[in-house]
Amino acid sequence: QQIFLRYQQLIKDNLKEISKLITFEQGKTLADAEGDVFRGLQVVEHACSVTSLILGETMPSITKDMDTCTYRLPLGVCAGIAPFNFPAMIPLWMFPMAMVCGNTFLMKPSERVPGALMFLAKLFQDAGAPDGTLNIIHGQHEAVNFICDHPDIRAISFVGSNQAGEYIYERGSRNGKRVQANMGAKNHGVVMPDANKENTLNQLVGAAFGAAGQRCMALSTAILVGEAQKWLPELVDRAKNLRVNAGDQPGADLGPLISPQAKERVCDLVEKGVKEGASLLLDGRNIKVKGYENGNFVGPTILANVKPNMTCYKEEIFGPVLVVLEADTLDDAIEMVNNNPYGNGTAIFTTNGATARKYSHLVDVGQVGVNVPIPVPLPMFSFTGSRASFRGDTNFYGKQGVQFYTQLKTIISQWKEEDATVTKPAVVMPTMGN
């Protein structure tokens, strides 16, 4: 606990330097990179309260002279596999919670963005963490297989694509490990006609295109209900005003995609949407950024008249692309969301409490925002994506995180009352009757 109290202060002191590293390697804007570090820092701060989170339970006198108690104990060696899109936040979801529970940790950053984690690991060492308690492994497939197969590793945390997540879950579980895997998403924002128009449109644009759409909680799909369908031209106008530039440039709203391959995939999915009948209201595929003409940039893109059977709807695009569907009623919108296999997050925009309550209760998604576009819980709660967005039984951070990185030991003891009775010493020769 004392180490983590020092660690959280070191992260605060070096937040801007870590953010610069993220922008340099990953491309997101400096402001977004600072948010990346800050949301991870919150988990470290919460880890400082671990003394109350790992308390066991006791019940005395369950029967005569018998007590039961449980201890929450560390597993041993745990491991984490992080994605490229949050180089600081996701590792900080993992190793602080595992280590404050008493485990040692093996962390594998994305091979594309290792710098932030290396900086964070050095700060952890400076905070007083003993050598060998946090270990970093670099690599791709062989490193992942090593983590899945090594008999000393008891638990694996993963965030990334469905393809990788399913593989790690299956292989790790087959080797007897606990696995928690946060995977892909298709997050829907349902816009009711009674919503606050100005706020809703700004929230949609920010959540769809921030970080160039490279967020597992990006609001990549909008369902406009009833009269809200008339707001589409204004939505397009707001998206047009976003500034695309290198992440370290002042005023940039979104930076580049992570690689040329990512750009090609995003552009291909947009093209498939057009060929399958979607209307391309805003096309950011041919954007040129001065000084970075060969960069991996895609500007804000909006596809309307999208249907659930289209490829651009069924697949996670993971780029600055908003697909727009239409629904006549709230019930139709709920049906659309529930028919989609993903369950990471969703949001509803409305000024009607009954509408919000109905949606929150009936929608089959792990995290629901009411007038909140990206409903990622603070670390005193847990990140609760569901369905095809998550594999495992226990979620990340919060109470769920403590449960994942610990095991329970139950002790049932009996101390008979008569054994404690003080009797006078026996001074006569023992006989069969005594």
Side-chain angles (χ1 to χ4, degrees):
Q1 187 185 37
Q2 291 298 316
I3 290 172
F4 278 96
L5 285 167
R6 291 192 292 270
Y7 187 44
Q8 56 91 22
Q9 187 59 51
L10 286 173
I11 294 174
K12 290 176 184 175
D13 294 343
N14 292 274
L15 191 145
K16 289 193 179 296
E17 289 302 311
I18 303 168
S19 302
K20 288 177 183 176
L21 264 176
I22 293 171
T23 296
F24 176 74
E25 289 188 330
Q26 200 268 354
K28 65 174 65 177
T29 66
L30 275 170
D32 198 31
E34 289 183 10
D36 185 335
V37 181
F38 186 74
R39 289 306 297 262
L41 171 62
Q42 290 175 324
V43 178
V44 178
E45 291 173 333
H46 186 59
C48 295
S49 67
V50 73
T51 46
S52 63
L53 295 177
I54 59 174
L55 292 174
E57 297 175 315
T58 301
M59 181 174 286
S61 302
I62 58 169
T63 187
K64 180 173 170 51
D65 301 331
M66 188 175 288
D67 309 316
T68 299
C69 65
T70 62
Y71 298 127
R72 195 166 282 282
L73 303 174
L75 299 175
V77 183
C78 302
I81 302 170
F84 73 83
N85 57 330
F86 285 98
M89 182 182 77
I90 299 299
L92 291 174
W93 281 9
M94 298 177 180
F95 73 83
M97 292 303 299
M99 297 183 70
V100 82
C101 290
N103 302 286
T104 59
F105 207 83
L106 178 64
M107 188 76 228
K108 193 197 92 63
S110 167
E111 65 281 1
R112 296 167 175 169
V113 291
L117 177 60
M118 296 303 291
F119 197 131
L120 287 166
K122 177 63 169 65
L123 293 179
F124 192 53
Q125 194 174 39
D126 293 344
D131 290 347
T133 52
L134 174 62
N135 307 277
I136 312 295
I137 183 173
H138 297 285
Q140 294 179 281
H141 304 297
E142 288 186 7
V144 169
N145 288 340
F146 172 82
I147 289 171
C148 291
D149 295 343
H150 198 286
D152 289 343
I153 295 174
R154 300 285 306 279
I156 304 171
S157 299
F158 168 82
V159 175
S161 69
N162 275 66
Q163 181 180 3
E166 294 286 357
Y167 174 82
I168 290 165
Y169 181 82
E170 295 294 339
R171 186 159 180 161
S173 297
R174 192 165 61 244
N175 286 318
K177 305 179 192 307
R178 293 184 183 183
V179 182
Q180 54 178 191
N182 273 359
M183 304 185 297
K186 201 72 175 181
N187 305 312
H188 298 72
V190 174
V191 181
M192 301 302 294
D194 63 3
N196 180 314
K197 184 177 179 181
E198 185 72 18
N199 179 65
T200 298
L201 292 176
N202 287 332
Q203 297 273 41
L204 276 177
V205 169
F209 303 119
Q214 297 175 122
R215 294 170 174 160
C216 65
M217 285 293 286
L219 206 60
S220 58
T221 305
I223 301 178
L224 305 182
V225 180
E227 291 295 310
Q229 295 162 21
K230 296 177 181 178
W231 301 359
L232 193 50
E234 294 176 69
L235 180 66
V236 173
D237 288 341
R238 279 173 168 76
K240 283 180 181 176
N241 291 328
L242 293 177
R243 292 160 293 186
V244 182
N245 207 338
D248 60 353
Q249 296 302 302
D253 292 313
L254 59 152
L257 295 173
I258 189 66
S259 67
Q261 295 77 20
K263 177 179 178 179
E264 181 181 4
R265 180 178 179 275
V266 169
C267 293
D268 286 348
L269 284 168
V270 172
E271 185 61 28
K272 282 183 181 178
V274 174
K275 288 180 177 178
E276 292 173 5
S279 301
L280 187 58
L281 302 186
L282 183 60
D283 188 356
R285 291 175 293 174
N286 298 316
I287 193 169
K288 295 295 180 185
V289 175
K290 187 177 179 181
Y292 302 93
E293 286 77 12
N294 295 319
N296 308 319
F297 293 95
V298 175
T301 300
I302 296 178
L303 288 166
N305 299 315
V306 173
K307 306 300 179 187
N309 63 341
M310 293 182 180
T311 306
C312 63
Y313 175 75
K314 292 189 291 185
E315 293 196 22
E316 183 180 27
I317 298 175
F318 221 62
V321 181
L322 177 66
V323 299
V324 181
L325 294 83
E326 297 179 349
D328 293 330
T329 66
L330 175 63
D331 289 334
D332 293 337
I334 293 171
E335 184 177 2
M336 282 184 193
V337 177
N338 288 348
N339 285 339
N340 188 281
Y342 292 109
N344 221 27
T346 185
I348 184 166
F349 298 93
T350 180
T351 55
N352 186 302
T355 297
R357 187 178 189 279
K358 178 177 180 179
Y359 185 79
S360 300
H361 281 256
L362 296 183
V363 73
D364 188 10
V365 175
Q367 299 169 120
V368 182
V370 177
N371 300 315
V372 176
I374 303 179
V376 177
L378 289 172
M380 62 284 295
F381 296 94
S382 299
F383 189 100
T384 54
S386 63
R387 294 197 286 153
S389 296
F390 180 74
R391 291 297 298 270
D393 299 313
T394 313
N395 296 101
F396 282 78
Y397 63 76
K399 291 180 181 178
Q400 292 272 299
V402 171
Q403 289 172 19
F404 181 77
Y405 291 123
T406 59
Q407 59 188 350
L408 286 172
K409 176 179 280 188
T410 303
I411 299 172
I412 303 173
S413 57
Q414 185 178 47
W415 299 101
K416 292 188 176 182
E417 183 180 356
E418 56 265 31
D419 291 341
T421 302
V422 178
T423 59
K424 67 179 183 178
V427 292
V428 298
M429 176 66 77
T431 64
M432 292 296 292
N434 295 320

